[in-house]
Amino acid sequence: KLAQKLGVCGRIRNASGVVTVVATANRALLDYFADAIQKDPPPGAVIESVLRQDIPYEAYEDFQIAESQESEQVESSPLLPQDLAVCEECVKEMSDPANPRHKYPFISCTACGPRYSIIRKLPYDRCNTSMSVFGMCESCEREYTAEWDIRRHAQTISCRHCGPALSYMHYEDGSRWKAVHDPDAALARAADVLKNHGVAAVKDIGGFHLACSPFDAQASAALRRLKGRDKKPFAVMFENAEQAEFYCFLDSQEKKLLESSSRPVVLARKKDNGHQPALAWEVGTDSPYVGVMLYSNPLQLLLLQACGPLVMTSANPSGTPIMTDNQQLLDWLENCGGTDVGVLLHDRDILTPLDDSVFSIVNGRTQVIRRSRGIVPQPVAVSRLPQKENEAGGSFVKAKSAVFAAGADMKGVFAYAFGQSIYLSQYFGDLDQADIYKCYRREIKRMADLFGFEADTFACDLHPGYLSHRLAMEMSNGCCMEIQHHHAHAASVIAEHGLSGKTLAVIFDGTGLGTDGTVWGSEFLICEGAGFSRAGHLDRSVLMGGDENARNADNILYGYLASLAEDGVFVKTDGIECVDKQKAEIIQKAVRHRINTITSTSMGRLFDAVSALLDICHYSGYEGQAAMELEYMASRAQKAYPLSIPIHRVHDGLAGRLDVMFSELADGIRAGTGKEELAAGFIEAVAEFTVDMCSRLMAEEAAGQVALSGGCFQNRILLEKVISGLEADGIRVYINEKVPAGDGGIALGQAYLAMMQKA
């Protein structure tokens, strides 16, 4: 459109995910044309980089959209389009009773609609997507070729006559599923279920969601039973940010995130303003935050207009991948007793499963909790690496020789990297779940095939027991870089921000194998180049090992108390009702005799232990539950009880002592201090310990900046206090803003370090 407006001749072509333009005009007009594309790109477009070249003159009579092709003379890191939320223009058309696409649930144009979730291979053309089975009708064909139409060359163009269609499934006579094929009737039936205490499964862009009214305690409880999800909060979908503001506080950054084309879930602070109807407790449980999201596709908007706000959570039992296949969903509902669920589905295949992305805003910074739909497969650009130049002098390389990074087993995410780009997969979940591991392996091959990656360098976590480690070793024939877990966390922040020189990285999480064979998790690392040294941590404690003990906060607590007792520190727990003396003695014996124990410096386990001691959470039914409920309790405090974690010097640096903090905490409990005040005091003590440790180490090590990462820094209170404390001391602080601070960001750090070593 721009070329035609300016009178520039030539052609534009999609070449394996890279847009190439040949343009002829006078020099001034060509410069204006190129600058205008960068300053005002089309809606939904992201321009990563531009390479300009003078080429031999060729005469063109006009400006054309040329047929896509596999590759061109100049190749660069390929880009696949991510799924884009339905645009305002399509919403306007869908809302117009006189428009042919009025209330059409699959309306899209060049600026919106599914992309990555439906693509089979590059280039992104209709024939290479799951839309290929839907032939265009004459009307859509005219729009597809019309010069000024918003659907000119829109690969997902369709209408009621030629595109995907809705159907509704319900269980009849206790014996079989029966279909309603009329699209309008199907939508109406699903809306009726949602408005009458029911649960509906809805097929969306990246997979099925389970939906219900967020004001209906009965329906929300039924949804929890169906998913086997006890207390983890659900996200709520609203029609617009103004509607969401009845139930939560939203600042300008949170609104911008909500309304962006990726349409993620945004964690916002709940309002307690007595607004009616109120969100049911069963939706958000005890969390002070509500996961807010806006519709991302036309079908969701139609349901919201019919029903009002809706709970939207992935359709899967907890610990399994989001479901994408129609029959798979029906079989699951039948097997788990969910035949009372209404099912709203369609006949367009989903080729890549994608959960909703999740974000929060902390201290004015964007924090990624989960990176998936609407963002994947956009790469993370890294700038502190050597570049290989092509003959034309550009910094582009062919998408062939790549680095593969396997990530970690918790919150599995893998990555491919080459050139200056690192491509992370979508979030999968815990790889020790068979279905999730199968999906993870399948998507490794799928991404390689889509982008043309040929991995010749491999990286994985140091832990030999991780499934991701074993797979990377298998893929590399045993020639794989083993990267320490917390070093990878640190590198993920360094890569994002292009940091150079010495960086003090503070990594707090639950577990990660250290280079000394013990379990690390409260690490202060001095990072420079591709290397690191360990400069500080919490005191080592002997805790019970194994996955079950990692979930049992009581066993963790008793391990800490037993470990302190071995050092001659006996924390007085008399009068603390939640402490089971008999169980504590059993754990003490196991610690004394080193039966099924580990040596740990984990900050995540310390949070779990304190949660149990304060009688907040004794067992984590989902990852991080004990620590999260401790944070929820602290968020309600009016003041913090004074606690301390003193620092002393040990053989490998500085360490935080836990004896004082546990003794002070026990004293506070016996004195009748409220849980809120004690929980807040603990988090504040951790923050003060962190700031103090950083100040000392930066003076000793001459580090230039601090990087914060690891799952514990998804605790908003802790992160805010640490950032504020460090910045008050004039220290530059960096956090993960493009990938999760938890294990979902590990693959970025692994890939970056492998690229550094490879270069």
Side-chain angles (χ1 to χ4, degrees):
K1 287 182 181 179
L2 178 64
Q4 290 170 332
K5 178 181 177 181
L6 297 177
V8 172
C9 295
R11 59 118 174 110
I12 183 169
R13 169 175 283 153
N14 180 4
S16 296
V18 178
V19 175
T20 61
V21 178
V22 174
T24 61
N26 65 60
R27 169 62 66 182
L29 190 56
L30 283 178
D31 288 342
Y32 179 84
F33 174 62
D35 291 340
I37 292 173
Q38 290 180 260
K39 291 176 181 176
D40 188 23
V46 176
I47 297 177
E48 295 285 347
S49 60
V50 173
L51 172 66
R52 299 192 199 186
Q53 289 179 273
D54 286 334
I55 59 176
Y57 177 78
E58 185 176 350
Y60 287 89
E61 295 182 358
D62 55 13
F63 194 86
Q64 301 174 346
I65 299 175
E67 184 177 348
S68 301
Q69 64 181 43
E70 291 292 331
S71 63
E72 287 221 348
Q73 184 177 1
V74 178
E75 294 193 40
S76 76
S77 305
L79 296 172
L80 269 69
Q82 73 273 35
D83 297 314
L84 300 173
V86 59
C87 69
E88 292 182 9
E89 189 64 30
C90 284
V91 169
K92 183 179 177 181
E93 289 187 14
M94 188 178 69
S95 304
D96 181 3
N99 191 284
R101 292 188 178 85
H102 179 234
K103 292 190 175 181
Y104 178 54
F106 305 98
I107 189 171
S108 66
C109 67
T110 53
C112 68
R115 300 288 194 270
Y116 187 55
S117 61
I118 63 170
I119 193 170
R120 286 195 178 89
K121 65 175 184 176
L122 285 173
Y124 172 63
D125 287 332
R126 191 184 185 94
C127 61
N128 294 331
T129 72
S130 58
M131 286 295 295
S132 62
V133 298
F134 303 101
M136 281 184 271
C137 64
E138 290 185 9
S139 176
C140 287
E141 187 76 47
R142 282 195 300 272
E143 291 177 273
Y144 186 80
T145 55
E147 282 196 356
W148 298 102
D149 198 282
I150 65 170
R151 295 185 180 85
R152 184 186 188 188
H153 283 253
Q155 307 306 325
T156 53
I157 186 173
S158 65
C159 67
R160 290 180 180 273
H161 303 295
C162 65
L166 291 177
S167 57
Y168 178 81
M169 304 292 291
H170 62 102
Y171 212 64
E172 188 180 69
D173 302 329
S175 60
R176 63 189 180 93
W177 291 100
K178 184 176 180 180
V180 175
H181 291 297
D182 177 80
D184 293 330
L187 184 65
R189 289 288 296 272
D192 285 343
V193 168
L194 292 169
K195 289 186 287 186
N196 289 282
H197 308 294
V199 175
V202 182
K203 189 176 184 181
D204 287 316
I205 297 294
F208 278 93
H209 278 105
L210 291 173
C212 72
S213 169
F215 313 116
D216 191 326
Q218 175 184 329
S220 301
L223 181 49
R224 287 199 174 279
R225 289 192 296 272
L226 188 63
K227 279 183 66 75
R229 184 165 164 173
D230 184 26
K231 292 186 70 177
K232 191 175 182 180
F234 290 136
V236 182
M237 181 177 287
F238 297 93
E239 192 171 337
N240 50 54
E242 291 70 31
Q243 187 182 62
E245 283 185 297
F246 281 117
Y247 306 97
C248 63
F249 298 97
L250 293 173
D251 63 24
S252 58
Q253 285 180 280
E254 289 166 335
K255 283 185 181 179
K256 186 177 180 180
L257 264 179
L258 276 176
E259 295 168 349
S260 67
S261 63
S262 57
R263 293 293 170 91
V265 176
V266 176
L267 301 182
R269 185 169 289 277
K270 281 180 184 175
K271 279 183 180 177
D272 186 16
N273 59 359
H275 179 78
Q276 296 297 323
L279 297 177
W281 179 88
E282 288 78 4
V283 172
T285 62
D286 294 320
S287 174
Y289 311 108
V290 55
V292 182
M293 60 194 305
L294 305 184
Y295 63 87
S296 62
N297 64 67
L299 176 56
Q300 291 173 343
L301 176 57
L302 291 171
L303 285 171
L304 292 171
Q305 289 172 338
C307 306
L310 292 169
V311 167
M312 282 283 185
T313 185
S314 57
N316 58 324
S318 292
T320 62
I322 188 171
M323 295 189 187
T324 59
D325 180 75
N326 294 350
Q327 191 59 52
Q328 178 194 24
L329 185 282
L330 296 175
D331 290 344
W332 172 63
L333 290 175
E334 192 166 354
N335 292 333
C336 72
T339 53
D340 56 340
V341 172
V343 181
L344 186 62
L345 46 77
H346 57 74
D347 52 352
R348 181 177 64 207
D349 289 341
I350 299 170
L351 302 181
T352 300
L354 295 164
D355 282 283
D356 298 311
S357 296
V358 183
F359 285 75
S360 66
I361 300 293
V362 183
N363 274 41
R365 308 176 192 218
T366 301
Q367 187 179 41
V368 184
I369 309 298
R370 185 166 70 202
R371 189 178 187 272
S372 202
R373 179 191 53 76
I375 303 171
V376 175
Q378 295 303 297
V380 175
V382 291
S383 58
R384 291 282 177 182
L385 290 170
Q387 300 185 47
K388 296 179 181 179
E389 293 193 349
N390 60 18
E391 293 178 359
S395 59
F396 293 115
V397 295
K398 290 190 176 183
K400 292 296 181 184
S401 178
V403 171
F404 172 77
D409 279 18
M410 295 293 289
K411 302 185 184 306
V413 170
F414 64 82
Y416 282 100
F418 55 87
Q420 302 297 108
S421 299
I422 300 178
Y423 295 75
L424 285 92
S425 72
Q426 68 272 38
Y427 161 87
F428 294 101
D430 190 347
L431 298 188
D432 70 5
Q433 302 295 318
D435 288 343
I436 289 178
Y437 182 60
K438 181 179 179 182
C439 183
Y440 166 85
R441 293 195 64 152
R442 183 176 67 245
E443 291 300 310
I444 288 172
K445 183 179 185 304
R446 173 169 163 74
M447 183 177 276
D449 290 345
L450 276 173
F451 285 94
F453 293 151
E454 295 175 2
D456 61 0
T457 304
F458 299 81
C460 66
D461 193 273
L462 182 63
H463 199 304
Y466 279 6
L467 290 169
S468 54
H469 176 108
R470 295 175 189 172
L471 179 59
M473 285 294 179
E474 175 188 317
M475 292 171 65
S476 64
N477 293 318
C479 186
C480 183
M481 297 181 190
E482 298 173 292
I483 295 173
Q484 200 280 322
H485 188 88
H486 302 93
H487 188 204
H489 271 305
S492 71
V493 182
I494 292 168
E496 274 195 39
H497 297 281
L499 303 182
S500 61
K502 278 189 180 181
T503 299
L504 172 57
V506 184
I507 315 299
F508 290 170
D509 64 1
T511 183
L513 181 64
T515 55
D516 60 0
T518 66
V519 175
W520 292 5
S522 58
E523 307 313 306
F524 294 79
L525 308 178
I526 303 299
C527 301
E528 188 171 16
F532 80 98
S533 61
R534 192 186 195 196
H537 48 79
L538 289 173
D539 270 344
R540 293 173 175 84
S541 299
V542 180
L543 306 178
M544 300 303 297
D547 291 342
E548 178 60 23
N549 284 312
R551 288 187 284 266
N552 191 318
D554 285 336
N555 287 0
I556 295 167
L557 169 63
Y558 302 149
Y560 276 109
L561 298 179
S563 191
L564 289 171
E566 280 202 332
D567 294 333
V569 178
F570 296 91
V571 178
K572 296 178 182 178
T573 57
D574 295 341
I576 301 177
E577 293 182 3
C578 68
V579 174
D580 186 321
K581 289 186 177 180
Q582 187 175 2
K583 287 184 179 179
E585 288 175 2
I586 294 172
I587 299 297
Q588 189 173 27
K589 290 178 181 177
V591 167
R592 185 184 307 128
H593 297 290
R594 299 298 191 266
I595 301 171
N596 189 29
T597 60
I598 57 171
T599 300
S600 171
T601 58
S602 168
M603 182 63 77
R605 296 293 82 84
L606 182 62
F607 269 78
D608 294 340
V610 172
S611 187
L613 184 59
L614 296 182
D615 199 20
I616 295 171
C617 179
H618 297 275
Y619 189 89
S620 291
Y622 59 87
E623 192 204 354
Q625 181 179 351
M628 288 171 67
E629 293 191 6
L630 177 71
E631 179 189 358
Y632 301 163
M633 187 67 70
S635 70
R636 298 197 287 269
Q638 298 299 311
K639 62 178 181 177
Y641 183 83
L643 298 169
S644 57
I645 301 176
I647 297 171
H648 65 137
R649 189 165 293 280
V650 293
H651 75 279
D652 59 351
L654 299 177
R657 288 173 50 192
L658 300 179
D659 53 343
V660 176
M661 186 276 297
F662 271 111
S663 295
E664 291 174 343
L665 198 56
D667 290 343
I669 296 170
R670 281 195 301 274
T673 309
K675 296 178 184 180
E676 295 90 347
E677 191 174 331
L678 292 167
F682 167 69
I683 295 175
E684 192 158 299
V686 173
E688 290 173 353
F689 155 74
T690 305
V691 173
D692 189 11
M693 184 77 93
C694 286
S695 296
R696 296 192 193 191
L697 289 173
M698 290 192 76
E700 291 182 10
E701 301 287 347
Q705 58 260 324
V706 170
L708 307 176
S709 190
C712 291
F713 281 115
Q714 290 178 344
N715 180 311
R716 189 177 300 200
I717 301 173
L718 175 63
L719 183 59
E720 287 176 347
K721 288 185 178 296
V722 171
I723 290 175
S724 298
L726 290 171
E727 289 184 338
D729 288 345
I731 297 171
R732 288 175 292 156
V733 185
Y734 299 89
I735 68 170
N736 291 111
E737 297 183 46
K738 296 179 181 177
V739 300
D743 282 5
I746 282 280
L748 174 63
Q750 291 174 346
Y752 179 76
L753 291 170
M755 292 165 79
M756 291 275 285
Q757 294 181 45
K758 182 180 179 182

